[in-house]
């Protein structure tokens, strides 16, 4: 038997341990290759949206590669520790250190080559589907399949270099061990996990500091403090606080001696301490994936809500004194050529400032509107009309995305600027979306006579005219690519931008809800499409880490359960004890990640005026929970099956 055959047989005989590592590596290669197929497609450079998407995929491929580097390094290093005993025996039989190094290098490169070939083969099979999905999502014409020579070369060279570099790194670990130490292998008796009260308090303080920092006004400094303290606190949670929690569980003798609690609680204290770094890594990776997915889901949900609650399809704003005719003509022609029925509403606003009587330095910019005009539009906006107002009363229509200060019904406010009168807020209207445009300020509705007084003293540049277009045919469902609303809205907005650029005059502007909706949707869809694969890599790698650690401890567990079965432990009790331990290792990181995501995402989205956070976080966490449950069922089944063989 030649040396390469010996190395190949070692890999084959250890296939059970290598399988999760191989599948995770092959999946990373497949995603990296699929991204490369898109990035180097000859048609991508000719499409502006394609170039932007290629840039996004290039960044994602860097993330995949960097993560793959550390994943392979960690996995190979951990696997070598499992085989210390095997290497020790080989050295006693006369193997030289150079031959051990060559054996390790050959085995790692065999796994690496198999992963690269399998990953690229799967990528080639799925590349047509990947191109079809990616082009549909970013809204460009389908790209034909091509022979991706460049993607093949880059993927092969990159991952060969990755596996070779990691293999050389790992040789440094094995060369430091002596034969006697290698022979002890993984059977050295474990020391009882110790807890440092000082480090436990430090971990608690770090987690608290992270939570407080993220709750402050967001800035680069607060985000950095929250990230550093949160990550460090998570590590101390696993290495110190979790062990301390298990110690506290042991304090209740009644609970400890009930059923198999003594067995699995004692074992968990060792497993959590031994696997602290691995659990920490899995939690950080899962938290990052959960946070990114929750952010995208919240933005997408907010985008849908904004569109469905925006009553007017098109908004044409004109500053006072500027000719509205070119824009009006263009809009009328576009709508009439498409055969659409529409209602044009001309609305005049006056920009003013208001403040509470006791808040001298806090001014809010609002737009003044007459109650008669508001009531004329109420039916189109699907809101209730307002009873007549006196000159001392007002109603505030709050923009949920632009409201700065809080106001209450019955509160007295000062209408500053030219009029400078006190008003009582009759009541407040809190719509889910500002009907006059999501980026417009809040609107204060006053009597017609007070409005006329304000108009008489208002400066010319504080007056604005808006033309709102109600188009019933476009109010049914969310728009899609290629539909009349999407096409016409996009053309009108682009015409307005081109005209303003050409004349360097920005006193008129056309905006459309479908155009805003599609722009946000395309951006989030592409990032989601890229992020789903990265999240899958993170999830699969996390499961691989857990599977590998359980496999590493399997031999020791088999000996322990074999001994316990001789003194009366039943197969059912063994299964229950092992299942609890595996479940805790799989689900604790998900639980911690969900809590961290909820704490971090809420203030970040608040800056973007998105308040619907809980549901997206729960959906994202549930998705990870479902995927992790599938891994849990598979790993538990194989683990229990192995343990059952040792039961008497």
């Amino acid at each position: 038997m030649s040396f390469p055959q010996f190395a190949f047989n070692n890999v084959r005989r250890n296939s059970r341990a290598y399988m999760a590592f191989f599948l995770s590596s092959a999946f990373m290669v497949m995603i990296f290759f699929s991204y490369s197929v898109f990035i180097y497609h000859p048609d991508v450079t000719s499409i502006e949206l394609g170039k932007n998407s290629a840039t996004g995929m290039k960044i994602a491929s860097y993330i995949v590669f960097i993560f793959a580097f550390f994943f392979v390094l960690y996995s190979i290093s951990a696997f070598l520790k499992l085989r210390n005993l095997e290497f020790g025996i080989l050295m006693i039989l006369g193997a030289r250190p150079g031959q051990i190094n060559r054996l390790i290098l050959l085995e790692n490169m065999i796994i690496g080559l198999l992963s690269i070939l399998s990953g690229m083969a799967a990528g080639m099979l799925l590349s047509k589907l990947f191109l079809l999905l990616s082009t549909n999502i970013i809204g460009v014409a389908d790209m034909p399949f091509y022979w991706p020579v460049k993607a093949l070369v880059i993927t092969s060279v990159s991952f060969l270099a990755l596996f070779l570099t990691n293999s050389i790194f790992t040789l440094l670990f094995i060369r430091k061990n002596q034969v006697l130490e290698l022979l002890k292998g993984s059977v050295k008796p474990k020391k009882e996990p110790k807890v440092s009260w000082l480090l436990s308090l430090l971990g608690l303080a770090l987690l608290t500091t992270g939570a407080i920092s993220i709750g402050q006004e967001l800035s680069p400094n607060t985000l950095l403090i929250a990230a550093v303290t949160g990550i460090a606190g998570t590590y101390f949670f696993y290495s110190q606080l979790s062990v301390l929690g298990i110690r506290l569980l042991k304090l209740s003798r009644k609970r400890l001696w009930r059923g198999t609690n003594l067995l699995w609680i004692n074992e968990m204290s060792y497993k959590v301490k031994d696997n602290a770094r691995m659990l920490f890594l899995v939690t950080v990776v899962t938290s990052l994936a959960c946070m990114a997915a929750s952010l995208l889901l919240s933005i997408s949900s907010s985008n849908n809500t904004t569109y469905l609650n925006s009553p007017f399809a098109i908004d044409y704003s004109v500053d006072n004194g500027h000719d509205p005719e070119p824009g009006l003509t263009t809009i009328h022609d576009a709508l009439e050529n498409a055969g659409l029925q529409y209602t044009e509403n001309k609305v005049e606003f006056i920009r003013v400032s208001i403040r509470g009587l006791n808040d001298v330095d806090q001014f809010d910019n609002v737009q003044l509107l007459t109650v008669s005009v508001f009531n004329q539009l109420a039916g189109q906006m699907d809101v209730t009309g307002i009873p007549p107002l006196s000159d001392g009363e007002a109603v505030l229509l709050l923009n949920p995305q632009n409201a700065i200060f809080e106001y209450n019904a019955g509160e007295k406010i000062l209408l500053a600027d030219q009029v400078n009168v006190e008003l009582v807020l009759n009541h407040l209207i809190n719509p889910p979306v500002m009907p006059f445009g999501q980026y417009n300020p809040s609107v204060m509705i006053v009597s017609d006579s007070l409005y006329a007084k304000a108009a008489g003293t208002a400066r010319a540049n504080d007056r604005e005219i808006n033309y709102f277009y109600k188009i019933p045919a476009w109010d049914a469902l969310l728009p899609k690519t290629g539909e009349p609303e999407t096409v016409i809205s996009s053309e009108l907005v682009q015409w307005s931008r081109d005209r303003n650029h050409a004349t360097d005059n920005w006193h008129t502007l056309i905006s459309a809800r479908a155009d805003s909706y599609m722009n946000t949707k395309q951006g989030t869809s592409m990032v989601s499409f890229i992020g789903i694969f990265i999240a899958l890599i993170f999830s699969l790698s996390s499961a691989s880490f857990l599977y590998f650690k359980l496999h590493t401890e399997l031999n020791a567990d088999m000996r322990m359960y074999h001994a316990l079965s001789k003194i009366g432990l039943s197969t059912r009790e063994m299964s229950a004890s092992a299942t609890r331990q595996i479940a805790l290792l799989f689900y604790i990181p998900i639980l911690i990640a969900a809590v961290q995501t909820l704490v971090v995402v809420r203030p970040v989205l608040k800056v973007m005026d998105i308040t619907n956070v809980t549901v997206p976080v729960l959906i994202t966490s549930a998705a990870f929970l479902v995927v992790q449950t599938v891994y849990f069922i598979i790993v538990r089944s194989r683990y229990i099956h192995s343990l059952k063989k040792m039961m008497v």
Side-chain angles (χ1 to χ4, degrees):
M1 183 169 61
S2 66
F3 202 81
Q5 282 177 321
F6 179 60
F8 180 77
N9 286 337
N10 274 339
V11 173
R12 186 168 57 81
R13 288 164 188 156
N14 284 295
S15 58
R16 191 177 58 179
Y18 272 131
M19 185 52 67
F21 170 55
F22 163 75
L23 289 175
S24 301
S25 301
F27 189 71
M28 289 182 201
V29 173
M30 185 189 79
I31 298 302
F32 185 91
F33 175 74
S34 299
Y35 286 159
S36 301
V37 169
F38 183 91
I39 292 167
Y40 299 109
H41 195 290
D43 291 349
V44 164
T45 53
S46 60
I47 306 168
E48 185 61 33
L49 208 52
K51 282 191 283 188
N52 295 335
S53 302
T55 303
M57 287 193 182
K58 194 174 284 188
I59 294 170
S61 64
Y62 293 155
I63 295 171
V64 171
F65 190 78
I66 292 169
F67 182 77
F69 180 86
F70 289 106
F71 170 76
V72 171
L73 182 64
Y74 176 84
S75 299
I76 293 177
S77 303
F79 190 74
L80 288 180
K81 288 180 183 175
L82 178 67
R83 298 180 62 196
N84 278 345
L85 179 62
E86 190 181 322
F87 295 138
I89 293 172
L90 285 175
M91 293 181 76
I92 286 178
L93 293 175
R96 295 188 299 276
Q99 288 177 310
I100 297 291
N101 289 345
R102 189 181 163 203
L103 178 67
I104 295 170
L105 190 64
L106 273 174
E107 288 182 15
N108 290 340
M109 291 311 294
I110 288 171
I111 289 290
L113 280 172
L114 289 175
S115 303
I116 293 169
L117 291 174
S118 304
M120 289 199 301
M124 283 293 289
L125 290 174
L126 297 175
S127 56
K128 177 63 181 172
L129 178 63
F130 188 86
L131 281 174
L132 186 65
L133 280 175
S134 54
T135 50
N136 280 341
I137 287 173
I138 63 177
V140 300
D142 289 347
M143 295 182 184
F145 178 75
Y146 75 110
W147 187 247
V149 178
K150 198 170 181 180
L152 285 167
V153 172
I154 288 176
T155 306
S156 306
V157 171
S158 300
F159 276 87
L160 273 175
L162 184 150
F163 277 101
L164 184 61
T165 306
N166 276 324
S167 300
I168 293 171
F169 262 126
T170 51
L171 294 180
L172 301 175
F173 302 132
I174 195 71
R175 291 183 64 176
K176 292 177 180 176
N177 295 327
Q178 301 299 318
V179 174
L180 185 59
E181 190 177 346
L182 293 177
L183 278 172
K184 289 180 181 176
S186 58
V187 297
K188 288 188 285 189
K190 293 180 181 177
K191 297 179 181 176
E192 185 180 3
K194 293 182 179 177
V195 177
S196 165
W197 281 96
L198 185 63
L199 291 178
S200 298
L201 291 174
L202 175 63
L204 198 59
L206 286 168
L207 288 173
T208 307
T209 305
I212 292 174
S213 300
I214 200 70
Q216 304 300 311
E217 187 176 349
L218 283 189
S219 68
N221 287 336
T222 55
L223 283 175
L224 182 63
I225 292 171
V228 171
T229 54
I231 291 173
T234 304
Y235 176 75
F236 286 114
F237 170 80
Y238 284 113
S239 63
Q240 302 295 329
L241 287 171
S242 59
V243 181
L244 180 63
I246 293 172
R247 283 275 183 91
L248 294 176
L249 272 179
K250 290 182 180 178
L251 293 179
S252 171
R253 192 176 180 83
K254 184 179 177 183
R255 179 172 49 236
L256 189 64
W257 285 90
R258 186 186 305 149
T260 57
N261 285 355
L262 176 67
L263 177 60
W264 73 265
I265 290 176
N266 274 320
E267 272 299 293
M268 276 310 296
S269 64
Y270 289 96
K271 286 185 186 298
V272 169
K273 184 75 174 179
D274 290 347
N275 298 320
R277 279 184 294 179
M278 185 269 300
L279 291 171
F280 159 70
L281 187 63
V282 169
T283 303
V284 171
V285 164
T286 307
S287 295
L288 290 175
C290 270
M291 288 173 195
S294 299
L295 282 170
L296 289 171
L297 201 59
S298 298
I299 293 171
S300 177
S301 173
S302 172
N303 192 34
N304 291 352
T305 303
T306 299
Y307 177 86
L308 293 173
N309 289 283
S310 297
F312 301 113
I314 299 170
D315 173 15
Y316 177 41
S317 63
V318 183
D319 285 346
N320 184 50
H322 293 270
D323 184 13
E325 196 52 41
L328 290 176
T329 303
T330 304
I331 294 172
H332 296 165
D333 289 346
L335 299 181
E336 287 163 10
N337 289 339
L340 293 165
Q341 298 292 324
Y342 64 90
T343 302
E344 183 181 83
N345 303 286
K346 181 181 178 182
V347 180
E348 293 187 18
F349 291 108
I350 301 174
R351 290 188 279 263
V352 297
S353 300
I354 61 171
R355 67 170 175 84
L357 286 183
N358 298 323
D359 301 321
V360 179
D361 299 325
Q362 295 182 344
F363 285 90
D364 252 340
N365 293 321
V366 300
Q367 289 182 314
L368 217 58
L369 179 69
T370 64
V371 65
S372 59
V373 172
F374 179 83
N375 285 336
Q376 287 173 15
L377 298 173
Q380 296 180 44
M381 296 189 297
D382 199 21
V383 296
T384 308
I386 299 174
L389 298 171
S390 68
D391 284 356
E393 292 179 314
V395 173
L396 193 56
L397 176 65
L398 279 171
N399 184 343
Q401 297 187 355
N402 272 342
I404 299 175
F405 304 114
E406 290 187 2
Y407 297 95
N408 300 303
E411 181 180 353
K412 286 187 177 181
I413 60 167
L414 180 68
L415 177 60
D417 299 330
Q418 298 85 4
V419 184
N420 204 28
V421 296
E422 287 183 15
L423 298 170
V424 176
L425 282 180
N426 196 317
H427 68 274
L428 282 77
I429 304 174
N430 293 287
V433 174
M434 187 65 178
F436 298 119
Q438 59 175 318
Y439 302 113
N440 279 16
S442 299
V443 170
M444 198 168 74
I445 303 153
V446 296
S447 66
D448 291 17
S449 56
L450 179 62
Y451 182 91
K453 191 184 298 180
T457 58
R459 293 168 298 192
N461 56 3
D462 285 336
R463 305 187 65 172
E464 177 182 310
I465 300 173
N466 283 69
Y467 296 86
F468 296 106
Y469 292 85
K470 182 72 174 176
I471 305 173
W474 289 356
D475 285 347
L477 298 169
L478 294 171
K480 296 178 181 175
T481 304
E483 288 186 345
E485 180 179 5
T486 309
V487 175
I488 293 172
S489 297
S490 176
E491 288 175 351
L492 287 173
V493 171
Q494 192 59 47
W495 174 87
S496 174
R497 288 176 187 158
D498 293 343
R499 182 173 181 273
N500 291 345
H501 276 295
T503 60
D504 196 21
N505 181 348
W506 294 85
H507 292 288
T508 63
L509 185 67
I510 296 176
S511 57
R513 64 180 183 189
D515 183 70
S516 302
Y517 170 81
M518 292 304 293
N519 285 336
T520 304
K521 184 187 174 186
Q522 285 172 346
T524 54
S525 297
M526 193 64 232
V527 176
S528 301
F529 180 70
I530 295 171
I532 284 172
F533 290 103
I534 294 179
L536 280 174
I537 287 175
F538 286 172
S539 180
L540 190 60
S541 303
S542 300
S544 175
F545 284 144
L546 291 167
Y547 171 82
F548 185 77
K549 290 299 291 182
L550 286 170
H551 179 80
T552 304
E553 295 161 356
L554 181 59
N555 290 333
D557 288 351
M558 287 169 76
R559 287 193 294 273
M560 181 188 71
Y561 281 110
H562 177 68
L564 289 173
S565 68
K566 285 183 176 178
I567 58 176
L569 184 74
S570 67
T571 303
R572 185 178 178 182
E573 289 170 328
M574 174 277 295
S575 178
S577 172
T579 300
R580 287 194 187 102
Q581 294 177 50
I582 299 171
L584 286 172
L585 291 176
F586 268 80
Y587 292 121
I588 283 179
I590 294 285
L591 179 64
I592 301 298
V595 173
Q596 289 182 339
T597 302
L598 203 57
V599 171
V600 172
V601 168
R602 186 180 294 279
V604 172
L605 285 175
K606 192 176 179 183
V607 176
M608 302 164 68
D609 299 312
I610 297 175
T611 54
N612 183 17
V613 175
T614 306
V615 173
V617 170
L618 291 179
I619 291 174
T620 307
S621 302
F624 274 93
L625 189 66
V626 169
V627 175
Q628 201 76 346
T629 299
V630 174
Y631 298 145
F632 165 72
I633 292 171
I634 296 171
V635 171
R636 179 203 167 273
S637 171
R638 293 175 65 87
Y639 195 78
I640 298 292
H641 178 72
S642 299
L643 291 181
K644 278 182 180 176
K645 293 178 183 175
M646 302 303 295
M647 299 298 287
V648 176

